[in-house]
Amino acid sequence: MIVSTTSQTFTKPLQLTPSKNKNPNNRFESVPAISLLQLCKNANELAQIHSLLIKTSLIQTPIAFNLLLSSYASSGDPGALDRARNLFDRADFAPSSFLYNTLIKAYTNHGYPIQAFIFYTQMLCQSSVLPDRFTFTFVLAACSRLCDRFLGKQVHAQMVKRKDFYGVHSRNALMGFYVKVGEVGMAAKRVFDEIEEPDIVSWNCLLDGYVRGGEVGAARKVFDEMPERDVVSWTTMLVGYVDAGMLSEGWDLFGRMPERNVLSWSAMIRGFVSAGRSREALGVFKDMEVSGVEMDKVTMTSLLSACAGLGALDQGRWIHSYIDKHEIDVDAHLSAALIDMYCKCGWLDVGLTIFRESLDKKVFVWNAILGGLALHSRGKEAVGLFLEMLDSGTKPNEITFICVLSACSHSGLVDEGLEIFQSMEADHNVRPTLEHYGCMVDLLGRAGLLNDARRLVETMPMEVDGNVLRALLGACRIHGDIELGVQVGKALIELEPLNDANYVLLSNIYALANRWEDVGNLRRIMKARGARKRPGCSSIELNGAVHEFIAGDCSHPQSEEIYKLIDEMAEHLLWA
């Protein structure tokens, strides 16, 4: 018989009798067949030792039986858990709480929490075995996976009856369950208050509960009261600030962290990206590089979004190279982020290549490439890809239709857009939203069908918003429909009196008709209402650095040379 391990191969007959020199209280310590169980790396090796234990009758000893069952239960090989259960069912002696706990934990970890709880109920029906201090921890983990309040509270009731059988670890698991089901302020806090000496896990669990519930004030109070904090404590509080949009407070906390892990960096980067502050996100990334922290998929996804927002192609390509160099598995989320980055940075063909090579084309991956095609006004390709998506069996969602309708709008595909819009609810059970109606108004308006666009606005089944009216007003400006443009512009200003873009659009309509007096009156109204025109802003990436320019701004270190070059260009254009 041959049993292979990572370090050696055993070909000699195994010694099956304990050595006299070993500890008499651990008489199986020197039996290779038992000690090798802890070295097994796969189901094949386990099966070999299992056979040997049967042949030598060691399988009838509790220590060998327990170790073998535990090895099967903790193995990640398919079918190993079934072997563990079959072994349990054929036991020649009454199973202990250790064996029940092992299988309850294994079923939960393998994604079968219902089976874990059923096994726990079978345990309760046995008069010869009782739950121990580990049982409730594993059972509550199953209840948390199920997110089942009723089952979890049943376990809590059983814990109350057996106060001597559980300690702080079980209470922490109970707190974790209540946090998972959203009962923090009452249930989880009450359990926490019952712990005589809460450990760092207890405090972190309570802190996490308040953060998950969006109670940032209560979370900060817990954070300040903690007798000690670890990196989990700091990161959890940071996530609370980021998720609440409190980036100033989050940035201050981030700066005071004694230790940062990849989750801390990712949270700060994600916060800046979500707030549209891509420049700050890339700045945090550069600091992260200097600190030597390796990026994970979440961090890379956020960074790619930041690169897409700024058009920072060089940095986006560097991240892509990092993924390839470290052989990181490109899942659906990372594929979508790469596609979006390349499309928004002008490299649509690279985005298409990544899409075609993606093995897991979830709906948001299709949406990413459809949005890229729309951005580049390649409507016919977008419609063709949409039909390919339907043929693949992928169900479109609301964003899918926004991308396709936008592509049709930018390419003048009126008939195709109308057909897709009408099929949304009828064929795909997706009810059109304001964004979809906005796309259709833009589609009809760009094609010059202003009356049809107006009728669509008037017959919408929901209240019109500024985006829909701006789409119609923009179409009026393009096609010179002054009368309709003035009507829509006035309605838009009444709806959003502080949005400077509305005044600019209506002013352009007046200017087209040479109604300069109305232009002047509009500017006075705008000034009286405090609606200030935001200066134009543009950015460019050069040698990996993103430079941002605002109209009339001189803060750039090379602004003098830039303005001088602009004047020279203008002079050449004047005499060209």
Side-chain angles (χ1 to χ4, degrees), residues 36-63:
L36 283 175
L37 281 170
Q38 299 176 347
L39 301 176
C40 288
K41 299 298 181 183
N42 54 55
N44 183 48
E45 293 177 0
L46 273 175
Q48 292 182 61
I49 297 179
H50 188 177
S51 298
L52 182 60
L53 291 176
I54 292 174
K55 290 179 181 179
T56 58
S57 298
L58 285 170
I59 193 70
Q60 297 176 8
T61 62
I63 184 172

Side-chain angles (χ1 to χ4, degrees), residues 32-334:
I34 295 178
S35 60
L36 283 175
L37 281 170
Q38 299 176 347
L39 301 176
C40 288
K41 299 298 181 183
N42 54 55
N44 183 48
E45 293 177 0
L46 273 175
Q48 292 182 61
I49 297 179
H50 188 177
S51 298
L52 182 60
L53 291 176
I54 292 174
K55 290 179 181 179
T56 58
S57 298
L58 285 170
I59 193 70
Q60 297 176 8
T61 62
I63 184 172
F65 185 89
N66 290 352
L67 283 174
L68 179 62
L69 187 144
S70 179
S71 297
Y72 274 129
S74 59
S75 172
D77 290 299
L81 186 56
D82 290 335
R83 292 184 182 181
R85 179 59 191 268
N86 291 335
L87 193 63
F88 178 89
D89 292 337
R90 294 199 304 267
D92 294 331
F93 45 83
S96 63
S97 59
F98 169 80
L99 293 181
Y100 275 104
N101 293 343
T102 299
L103 284 174
I104 292 170
K105 179 182 178 182
Y107 276 123
T108 301
N109 291 343
H110 282 76
Y112 304 107
I114 294 178
Q115 293 297 325
F117 195 85
I118 292 174
F119 205 67
Y120 167 66
T121 59
Q122 293 176 4
M123 177 186 183
L124 295 180
C125 294
Q126 300 292 326
S127 59
S128 60
V129 61
L130 293 173
D132 62 17
R133 60 194 182 96
F134 298 107
T135 307
F136 292 115
T137 302
F138 301 141
V139 175
L140 286 165
C143 294
S144 295
R145 282 280 190 103
L146 290 169
C147 208
D148 192 312
R149 283 182 171 86
F150 177 73
L151 293 181
K153 290 182 178 181
Q154 279 189 318
V155 177
H156 188 180
Q158 291 159 4
M159 289 175 65
V160 172
K161 294 178 181 179
R162 296 181 170 275
K163 288 187 178 181
D164 296 335
F165 287 87
Y166 67 97
V168 65
H169 297 295
S170 297
R171 291 181 186 270
N172 289 343
L174 182 59
M175 286 180 61
F177 161 73
Y178 280 122
V179 166
K180 184 68 179 292
V181 298
E183 295 189 19
V184 182
M186 295 293 292
K189 182 62 167 61
R190 186 170 65 247
V191 174
F192 177 84
D193 292 337
E194 292 173 354
I195 303 176
E196 293 183 4
E197 295 182 5
D199 59 13
I200 186 69
V201 177
S202 311
W203 284 96
N204 284 341
C205 187
L206 184 63
L207 178 65
D208 180 56
Y210 284 124
V211 166
R212 285 172 180 258
E215 300 181 56
V216 182
R220 184 61 200 232
K221 183 179 179 182
V222 171
F223 181 79
D224 291 337
E225 292 175 353
M226 293 178 71
E228 60 173 325
R229 307 184 188 110
D230 60 8
V231 67
V232 175
S233 315
W234 287 88
T235 303
T236 302
M237 191 65 245
L238 174 64
V239 169
Y241 280 134
V242 168
D243 289 346
M246 303 169 66
L247 289 185
S248 297
E249 292 82 354
W251 182 245
D252 177 67
L253 189 75
F254 183 76
R256 294 189 291 109
M257 290 181 70
E259 179 186 358
R260 298 168 184 161
N261 58 16
V262 65
L263 296 178
S264 314
W265 291 97
S266 297
M268 204 65 248
I269 291 171
R270 175 172 55 83
F272 281 127
V273 171
S274 299
R277 296 165 61 175
S278 299
R279 178 184 295 276
E280 288 95 325
L282 291 179
V284 175
F285 163 60
K286 290 179 180 178
D287 293 339
M288 182 180 178
E289 277 189 281
V290 173
S291 70
V293 178
E294 289 191 7
M295 294 186 291
D296 62 2
K297 290 183 181 180
V298 177
T299 310
M300 287 184 285
T301 301
S302 297
L303 286 170
L304 288 168
S305 297
C307 294
L310 287 173
L313 177 61
D314 289 345
Q315 296 195 34
R317 292 176 65 195
W318 184 92
I319 295 170
H320 194 179
S321 298
Y322 182 96
I323 294 169
D324 293 339
K325 180 180 178 181
H326 291 79
E327 297 182 347
I328 295 171
D329 177 50
V330 180
D331 60 10
H333 292 279
L334 208 49

